[in-house]
Amino acid sequence: MSGPTVPAPTTTTAGRARKLINGRIASLFLILALAIGITAAVNPRFLGGSGLTDLLIGSAVIGILAVGLTPVVIARHIDLSIASTTGLSAYVTLSIVVPNGWGLWQSFAIGAGIGLLVGTVNGLLVAGLNIPSLVVTLGTLSIVRGILYFYSDAGRFTPDVIPPSLIAMGLDTILDIPIIFWITLGFALFAAWWMRYTPVGRDLYAIGSNPPAAQLVGINIFQRTLLAFMWSGLMAGIAGVLYIGQFAFVDASAFINQELAVVTAVVVGGVNIFGGSGTIIGALLGALLIRVIAGGLVAVGVDPFWQQAVNGVLLITAIGLDRILALRSQAKIQRIREDRVEEQSWRE
Amino acid sequence: MAAGKASGEILLVRNANKRFGGVQALKDAKLTLRDGEIHALLGENGAGKSTLVKVLAGVHRLDSGTVELNGKPFIQGSPRAAMEQGITVIYQEPSLFPDLSLAENVFISRLPRKGVAITWAQTRDETKKLFDELGVDLNPERLARGLSIADQQVVEIAKALSLDASVILMDEPTAALTSSEVARLMSVMRKLAERGKCVVFVSHRLDEVFAVCSEVTVMRDGETVAESPIDKTSISEVIKWMVGRELKEMFPKVDAKVGATALEVKSLNSASEFKDVSLHVKKGEIVALAGLVGSGRSEVARAIFGVDPYDSGEVILNGQKLPPKRPKTSVARGLALVPEDRRQQGLFMISSVARNVAMEMLNRLSKLGFITNKQEINLTQKWQEKLQIKYSDPRAPVESLSGGNQQKSVLAKWLATDPDVLIVDEPTRGIDVATKAEVHRLLSQSAADGKAVLMISSELPEVLGMADRIYVMHEGRLTAEMARNEATQEKIMFAATGEKVAVAGKKR
């Protein structure tokens, strides 16, 4: 037995691993269709009229935040400051745009700037000082919200003062799809591309998959991690502007406590909470799914207060399922190995 | 023997010196590598070969001496720089990225691109080509997760090829492989040599070395003691080179009265770690469990003590069966285990010396469930005198002590429990010569006091100097048992490397 070919088990497990990933996206679509179908069957109004449009409008903010968070989670980090940053971006943007009589483009520029600033601070603290991202972003979650409360001084922006172009963005559709969802989709496709086709994206996967090995092959972990947090911040900043369009009402508690919904979306969308694997499109589908379930619960007459609990159940189910699948495939690999060893010693 | 068109010298190490603390790891070591050869680098554990490999891998930097690669000085001290200069190291257990495809693992951090975008088809095709050249059937698109160690090594070798490495060092690559995987690796090594690469093979398996290598360099105590073409030497000559040193008077062995059997192990099995291990230790006896690092000795000790489970077999302590997986019961019945890695397993580094020494005695010292510092300190001072532990203050954290005194503290902790059977795992690793002799004296004294001592050691002089009886382990099985008077370094080494034929003193 000097065969340089050790065939079967490797290729089949390979196929299985690939299928698992593709299967994740496919099964998300399936669950999504199922959830929509069941809800629509119980309550036909869920899809009727502007139902679908409302669903997409409702998914835009959480969707773009999921797109922002995914590269961070893939790199084995977390960003809990995103919901606070969204609120800060929404409020501060309006506080500058409204008095100056500015419109859409200035709003996006300001929102993006605020998001990038918070993201850069997060990234520098995490990558530069090696403080765990959970600690850093838990801190900036409170700090950013605190700044917002101080800055707003109990103020608020109502539809009558918000620039009409922003309100229109939240209402209008192109090809029946809301403009704010187009924006989310655009960023999602861009992020999906760079996570797949550029060294920055691939390095983030490598860092999350095996950090010491990433160091050994000379990946610039500091720079890549910083970029991931800047991206997450940028998306949170843009999300703030989308938030203005969606709600046409902003005060200091805008989007408060929503960070865990985004984490849930990302994890439900198949991004490994321990880093290394997952896709942007999966995370976006995850965001859609939790919005469908939230809307669906209301449509079938469940008290909306249950929504948080349902998100929690989704989060644990998604992680639990991954864990079970991983354990099962590991056991399988172990069995294959033992069979091979046994075969070996038998030959000897 | 091995194919290849050996020609020019490619890597020269001369007068290499490297010191770690009190240990001279390399002493004027030299190494000469030529392209197209498969070169064995041999030596006992601690002979300096790992240090030399790490210097070439860019992990360590020499204190003095020269390394010349392709006629140019080799830039030391950076793994990445070493790789870029054409030296790649394949470790026993490579660390790949489990979530990435094999192709991406091969080309990680230098994936082929067109503009900014990575060209995945090209990555896949080039990886496939490398796998084909190596004659292995692996799918470049599968994920690395769950890949066998042998296949992981192949991925690393493909990476070395893609980097156009001229020297490929393999650090004990076969230790975790099955025999058909070893055969495949050997064929890969020959292919690499045919392509003009220099392959360095670090191994303890001399049969493999003689099957595949063309040159051999032997190290001992940090020095290069022999360099020879493989067909001009023999296994027994190589073993002689590896062990050939005199026994120093470091082993104050006291004759003890040997009594009844204290510890008996009957055909202990653990699926992945060891098979059919039977041994016994009598009161007053020091029994050595010799073998190479990784042969399963520590695992046996941990199973006996009850930290790790075992699949079948029995452990009998003082005539009574010891239940598996009950370390607490083991301690209560008079068994003590001084682990190999004192920093990780033996001590609470930031706690005081006294707290550590008293750790196993808390139940016996406490009154109504409470224990005072004073009780801990009294106990510690008693053992300090017996063991000559040097510390400024019993309340000082144990990490402030030297390695030797840390080791004595662990010994004190276990001797304080007054065990009948003492298992010590590599009791003198990483401590200086003087303290070594003291630890030996302590073990000898314990045996003279009627304790049974089972000593795991990778150092042959220690085994020969201390043990009344010696078991040798090789890849999870006992391969030899010999009495003190019939043991020699050569015999132990033969048994430890699995060269069964020549083990004259083998019983069973």
Side-chain angles (χ1 to χ4, degrees):
Chain A
M1 255 319 281
S2 67
T5 44
V6 177
T10 47
T11 41
T12 53
T13 38
R16 205 165 287 123
R18 280 276 152 196
K19 257 182 228 150
L20 211 70
I21 291 175
N22 298 334
R24 188 66 179 240
I25 302 276
S27 55
L28 270 169
F29 265 118
L30 198 73
I31 295 169
L32 201 53
L34 214 65
I36 293 174
I38 291 172
T39 318
V42 177
N43 184 345
R45 274 186 303 170
F46 182 62
L47 277 186
S50 62
L52 200 62
T53 314
D54 287 347
L55 173 69
L56 293 179
I57 290 177
S59 310
V61 171
I62 192 170
I64 201 168
L65 288 170
V67 168
L69 183 60
T70 299
V72 171
V73 175
I74 283 173
R76 215 180 263 200
H77 285 291
I78 192 79
D79 186 350
L80 296 178
S81 71
I82 44 179
S84 296
T85 308
T86 302
L88 184 76
S89 157
Y91 194 94
V92 175
T93 300
L94 284 178
S95 76
I96 298 171
V97 168
V98 170
N100 287 309
W102 289 345
L104 207 59
W105 299 115
Q106 293 91 333
S107 300
F108 275 108
I110 295 164
I114 292 165
L116 269 180
L117 183 73
V118 179
T120 308
V121 170
N122 281 334
L124 286 175
L125 287 171
V126 172
L129 299 181
N130 266 326
I131 310 174
S133 53
L134 182 72
V135 175
V136 167
T137 60
L138 205 53
T140 47
L141 177 159
S142 301
I143 294 169
V144 169
R145 187 62 70 176
I147 291 172
L148 176 53
Y149 275 119
F150 179 78
Y151 179 82
S152 70
D153 198 17
R156 55 170 59 176
F157 290 94
T158 46
D160 48 312
V161 299
I162 294 175
S165 56
L166 282 171
I167 294 181
M169 173 185 74
L171 292 173
D172 292 349
T173 59
I174 298 174
L175 301 173
D176 280 342
I177 290 179
I179 292 174
I180 57 172
F181 193 80
W182 276 119
I183 294 171
T184 294
L185 197 61
F187 280 108
L189 291 175
F190 171 69
W193 174 80
W194 72 258
M195 283 302 283
R196 174 80 185 140
Y197 287 100
T198 69
V200 178
R202 300 322 297 171
D203 285 357
L204 290 174
Y205 279 99
I207 292 168
S209 188
N210 188 344
Q215 190 140 32
L216 221 60
V217 298
I219 289 172
N220 188 341
I221 294 178
F222 168 80
Q223 189 225 59
R224 296 321 198 206
T225 310
L226 177 60
L227 282 175
F229 277 96
M230 287 172 71
W231 170 256
S232 170
L234 177 68
M235 289 302 99
I238 305 273
V241 182
L242 299 186
Y243 181 92
I244 303 170
Q246 187 192 343
F247 291 96
F249 177 90
V250 177
D251 65 7
S253 62
F255 214 58
I256 195 163
N257 292 341
Q258 292 301 302
E259 53 282 328
L260 290 184
V262 182
V263 174
T264 307
V266 166
V267 170
V268 167
V271 178
N272 187 343
I273 193 76
F274 303 113
S277 68
T279 60
I280 298 280
I281 300 303
L284 187 59
L285 287 175
L288 274 171
L289 182 62
I290 71 166
R291 288 305 304 169
V292 166
I293 289 176
L297 289 176
V298 176
V300 300
V302 177
D303 194 315
F305 286 115
W306 279 104
Q307 194 190 316
Q308 286 243 340
V310 170
N311 278 354
V313 171
L314 274 179
L315 181 72
I316 295 173
T317 312
I319 294 182
L321 237 116
D322 274 353
R323 192 78 205 121
I324 291 166
L325 283 178
L327 284 178
R328 276 182 45 189
S329 69
Q330 218 163 44
K332 188 149 212 168
I333 289 165
Q334 185 65 34
R335 264 205 309 281
I336 292 169
R337 287 240 180 94
E338 272 162 19
D339 288 351
R340 287 170 69 192
V341 171
E342 211 145 274
E343 194 188 332
Q344 281 281 320
S345 37
W346 178 80
R347 255 192 227 111
E348 287 169 4
Chain B
M1 206 165 266
K5 40 176 182 25
S7 54
E9 288 169 351
I10 181 164
L11 183 109
L12 300 170
V13 180
R14 293 289 178 267
N15 306 322
N17 283 291
K18 177 77 190 172
R19 177 180 275 279
F20 295 108
V23 183
Q24 183 85 36
L26 290 177
K27 212 186 296 171
D28 282 333
K30 70 171 183 168
L31 179 67
T32 308
L33 302 177
R34 293 176 192 81
D35 48 17
E37 73 178 5
I38 304 177
H39 195 119
L41 183 57
L42 304 176
E44 275 187 279
N45 296 319
K49 53 190 196 313
S50 289
T51 308
L52 189 55
V53 167
K54 281 188 175 145
V55 167
L56 297 177
V59 178
H60 294 323
R61 203 185 282 272
L62 289 178
D63 297 335
S64 66
T66 58
V67 182
E68 203 177 273
L69 180 64
N70 287 320
K72 284 181 292 218
F74 169 73
I75 299 152
Q76 300 179 38
S78 151
R80 194 170 170 84
M83 226 183 277
E84 279 160 5
Q85 291 170 88
I87 298 184
T88 302
V89 182
I90 314 294
Y91 291 101
Q92 200 178 56
E93 301 210 3
S95 88
L96 299 179
F97 299 97
D99 301 294
L100 306 186
S101 72
L102 301 189
E104 190 168 3
N105 268 289
V106 168
F107 284 97
I108 187 76
S109 80
R110 42 194 185 85
L111 292 152
R113 277 188 283 162
K114 195 171 173 185
V116 281
I118 293 159
T119 48
W120 287 110
Q122 189 189 350
T123 312
R124 180 196 60 214
D125 294 345
E126 284 184 17
T127 307
K128 183 83 195 129
K129 219 161 69 191
L130 290 169
F131 287 162
D132 287 345
E133 280 172 34
L134 293 172
V136 292
D137 181 27
L138 285 173
N139 177 1
E141 286 188 298
R142 72 153 286 173
L143 301 185
R145 185 177 302 284
L147 207 60
S148 73
I149 286 173
D151 288 342
Q152 292 181 40
Q153 289 172 348
V154 167
V155 173
E156 290 281 358
I157 293 168
K159 189 168 162 181
L161 275 186
S162 76
L163 280 160
D164 201 25
S166 46
V167 178
I168 299 170
L169 296 132
M170 302 191 183
D171 194 359
E172 295 198 45
T174 58
L177 304 193
T178 61
S179 57
S180 74
E181 288 169 337
V182 169
R184 183 181 70 166
L185 183 68
M186 285 185 173
S187 94
V188 166
M189 288 164 77
R190 291 195 185 97
K191 284 203 176 81
L192 292 172
E194 277 164 27
R195 296 182 47 151
K197 311 284 182 201
C198 172
V199 180
V200 177
F201 185 42
V202 180
S203 177
H204 284 298
R205 298 184 177 173
L206 296 180
D207 52 340
E208 292 170 9
V209 164
F210 275 77
V212 75
C213 295
S214 51
E215 292 283 322
V216 56
T217 294
V218 181
M219 298 189 69
R220 191 204 316 143
D221 298 332
E223 290 176 88
T224 302
V225 290
E227 294 175 296
S228 164
I230 209 89
D231 41 18
K232 299 253 160 59
T233 181
S234 65
I235 288 188
S236 48
E237 189 178 29
V238 165
I239 288 180
K240 214 167 271 162
W241 284 331
M242 284 162 71
V243 298
R245 75 185 139 193
E246 53 216 285
L247 286 186
K248 294 158 198 145
E249 261 314 302
M250 276 198 55
F251 308 101
K253 178 94 180 91
V254 185
D255 278 328
K257 221 176 88 201
V258 175
T261 300
L263 173 74
E264 186 168 13
V265 175
K266 285 183 179 167
S267 53
L268 212 59
N269 278 295
S270 162
S272 47
E273 311 289 0
F274 49 83
K275 283 225 156 39
D276 197 23
V277 172
S278 297
L279 53 83
H280 66 275
V281 188
K282 291 179 178 148
K283 284 182 180 159
E285 218 183 11
I286 298 181
V287 172
L289 191 50
L292 298 167
V293 173
S295 55
R297 300 165 304 166
S298 302
E299 289 73 12
V300 169
R302 289 170 59 87
I304 292 174
F305 190 63
V307 198
D308 292 344
Y310 48 87
D311 299 332
S312 63
E314 285 192 329
V315 177
I316 296 161
L317 186 65
N318 292 326
Q320 258 185 311
K321 190 173 180 305
L322 202 61
K325 284 182 76 177
R326 294 271 187 284
K328 243 181 156 161
T329 311
S330 304
V331 176
R333 298 252 203 97
L335 187 60
L337 170 67
V338 180
E340 175 181 9
D341 186 345
R342 56 179 175 264
R343 295 186 70 89
Q344 294 286 337
Q345 301 173 356
L347 291 169
F348 299 89
M349 297 306 290
I350 56 169
S351 295
S352 71
V353 183
R355 176 106 346 131
N356 271 288
V357 170
M359 193 62 72
E360 289 298 329
M361 294 293 285
L362 294 182
N363 281 332
R364 278 177 252 187
L365 287 177
S366 64
K367 292 200 176 83
L368 298 171
F370 291 95
I371 184 155
T372 60
N373 282 344
K374 200 163 160 38
Q375 290 167 314
E376 291 180 343
I377 288 168
N378 284 344
L379 178 83
T380 306
Q381 277 165 347
K382 183 177 130 196
W383 285 97
Q384 181 205 2
E385 281 163 34
K386 283 196 189 175
L387 270 61
Q388 305 280 314
I389 308 175
K390 290 179 194 73
Y391 54 72
S392 52
D393 185 327
R395 285 162 299 188
V398 77
E399 66 181 348
S400 64
L401 270 54
S402 73
N405 284 305
Q406 286 178 9
Q407 186 66 352
K408 286 191 202 165
S409 302
V410 188
L411 277 170
K413 169 170 110 176
W414 286 108
L415 289 174
T417 66
D418 193 24
D420 298 325
V421 177
L422 183 64
I423 305 177
V424 286
D425 194 351
E426 302 284 4
T428 59
R429 163 156 308 166
I431 60 182
D432 61 83
V433 178
T435 318
K436 245 181 198 180
E438 275 184 71
V439 170
H440 290 149
R441 180 181 56 78
L442 274 169
L443 293 177
S444 199
Q445 189 56 48
S446 301
D449 292 345
K451 299 188 191 312
V453 179
L454 180 62
M455 177 183 76
I456 296 173
S457 175
S458 302
E459 292 191 33
L460 289 179
E462 182 169 278
V463 168
L464 290 167
M466 297 297 298
D468 296 299
R469 206 147 46 76
I470 298 159
Y471 292 101
V472 187
M473 252 183 117
H474 170 66
E475 296 185 358
R477 288 170 193 274
L478 288 182
T479 49
E481 179 188 351
M482 51 193 104
R484 182 182 179 82
N485 52 20
E486 58 181 4
T488 64
Q489 299 206 24
E490 282 81 3
K491 271 192 202 170
I492 296 174
M493 208 61 195
F494 265 113
T497 49
E499 297 299 331
K500 302 174 191 73
V501 239
V503 184
K506 190 181 163 194
K507 294 177 186 172
R508 291 170 48 107

